[in-house]
Amino acid sequence: MSVIEVTELRKSYGGRTVVDGVSFAVEEGEIFGILGPNGAGKTTTVECVEGLRVPDAGRVRVTGLDPVADHERVARVLGAQLQQSELQPKLTVREALELYASFYPSPLDWAPLAERLGLTAKLTTRFGKLSGGQKQRLFIALALIGNPRVVVLDELTTGLDPRARRDTWALIEDVRASGVTVLLVTHFMEEAQRLCDRIAVIDKGRVAALDTPAGLIRRSAGATVISFTPSAPLDDRDLAALPALASVEHKDGRITLSGTDETVNAVITLLARHHITAHQLRVVDATLDDAFLDLTKTDDTDTEETAA
């Protein structure tokens, strides 16, 4: 069952198209990631899902409801941690948690949630005195406190140190295990690769690719990179004939090849046949970073996030 359905979504600001025909569906119980360069349209897309933006065209449904026309009902089933949020500076952490819990008919017990997010020691601290990472953890708690069926997390671990980031990942995995569907916007590739069941890569307002993390990695120019310094010269024609070869680079006597596992096996066979030793041999699998760079073309002059 699709909990979130986005079909041919379009949105423009001042005559400039920011989201141009985006379509995807998020299944119940999955963690669905959205990746993209700055200005790609990802924040505007999720704000339309949340009902914070009115689409110019297209269709958005959350548990079958229109986030704009049925906004109050959607707010009962959807929790959101926005990319940029603020609270009244004098409000304490405890007051914020109690206030947000009062908005929902069946909220979570906020005390264990605060403990899990490392906020218990800060319950009497005013919002204005919290660090950036502490504010971020508070907003995650506020997104979850309503016991939602769906939660949208936009750059949820920005500002967190590595330990806090990994603790937050474990929390999100627990949230999904409890049956909550997660829509995750992130620019941390390690985060997306660890957490997401599927990922939509958005570039220049369009979906450039939609697949599992492993599927996206397989799409990269070379799924595996092998580099070495040969003990004797290799014929370029032999290298060019290697199966599944994506690229060859020569630098300072070192050869770097991009390809697949088949390419690696063929290189080893080639070296053995010519009795050549591979010095400082390294074999590195491609990562989601590699796939992301292959799929997107960043234009730093586009700043959709500012327009949003």
Side-chain angles (χ1 to χ4, degrees):
M1 175 183 174
S2 295
V3 176
I4 298 174
E5 296 178 352
V6 177
T7 307
E8 288 297 316
L9 179 66
R10 300 180 188 277
K11 183 67 179 178
S12 299
Y13 299 106
R16 183 171 65 90
T17 300
V18 172
V19 179
D20 189 11
V22 166
S23 297
F24 61 84
V26 181
E27 304 306 314
E28 186 168 13
E30 86 173 322
I31 300 177
F32 187 94
I34 294 182
L35 296 177
N38 290 336
K42 54 190 186 297
T43 290
T44 292
T45 297
V46 297
E47 287 181 345
C48 289
V49 171
E50 295 160 338
L52 300 177
R53 301 276 178 187
V54 179
D56 296 334
R59 183 176 185 270
V60 180
R61 292 293 183 269
V62 177
T63 64
L65 302 171
D66 185 324
V68 176
D70 304 308
H71 187 73
E72 185 172 342
R73 294 172 65 191
V74 169
R76 298 290 183 185
V77 298
L78 184 145
Q81 171 261 327
L82 306 180
Q83 188 181 69
Q84 295 181 333
S85 302
E86 287 294 328
L87 294 176
Q88 207 279 336
K90 293 186 178 181
L91 198 68
T92 67
V93 171
R94 180 192 297 274
E95 289 169 342
L97 292 167
E98 290 178 342
L99 176 64
Y100 273 65
S102 71
F103 296 156
Y104 301 96
S106 302
L108 295 176
D109 182 354
W110 59 260
L113 190 58
E115 178 68 26
R116 184 66 188 270
L117 285 164
L119 293 170
T120 302
K122 297 293 181 180
L123 290 177
T124 59
T125 303
R126 299 184 188 278
F127 178 79
K129 297 295 184 180
L130 296 176
S131 69
Q134 290 163 351
K135 290 179 180 178
Q136 189 75 334
R137 280 179 276 161
L138 175 58
F139 286 125
I140 294 169
L142 298 180
L144 298 172
I145 205 166
N147 197 17
R149 282 186 60 190
V150 183
V151 64
V152 179
L153 303 171
D154 194 346
E155 307 289 4
L156 86 159
T157 57
T158 298
L160 300 186
D161 61 58
R163 182 178 297 278
R165 182 176 297 128
R166 289 182 180 273
D167 289 345
T168 303
W169 293 349
L171 172 66
I172 300 309
E173 289 172 331
D174 289 347
V175 167
R176 190 265 292 277
S178 71
V180 177
T181 302
V182 179
L183 179 59
L184 174 67
V185 181
T186 181
H187 66 270
F188 289 114
M189 298 299 145
E190 182 185 2
E191 180 169 282
Q193 191 164 347
R194 168 169 169 169
L195 293 179
C196 296
D197 298 297
R198 292 186 300 138
I199 297 170
V201 179
I202 296 180
D203 188 29
K204 298 187 184 302
R206 297 175 179 268
V207 176
L210 198 166
D211 208 334
T212 64
L216 291 175
I217 291 170
R218 285 195 295 269
R219 296 187 188 198
S220 62
T224 304
V225 175
I226 178 170
S227 60
F228 59 93
T229 302
S231 59
L234 278 168
D235 193 319
D236 282 343
R237 289 172 295 182
D238 289 336
L239 293 175
L242 291 170
L245 182 70
S247 66
V248 181
E249 179 183 345
H250 295 268
K251 185 176 181 181
D252 299 328
R254 191 167 180 81
I255 299 173
T256 301
L257 308 170
S258 295
T260 66
D261 289 342
E262 186 181 5
T263 313
V264 175
N265 293 332
V267 168
I268 293 171
T269 300
L270 176 65
L271 293 171
R273 185 167 67 244
H274 292 283
H275 305 289
I276 295 175
T277 301
H279 296 292
Q280 297 177 318
L281 175 67
R282 293 187 63 197
V283 179
V284 180
D285 288 333
T287 66
L288 195 55
D289 285 276
D290 299 313
F292 179 80
L293 292 173
D294 285 342
L295 289 165
T296 62
K297 297 178 180 179
T298 303
D299 183 351
D300 294 333
T301 63
D302 287 338
T303 54
E304 169 266 330
E305 317 300 344
T306 301

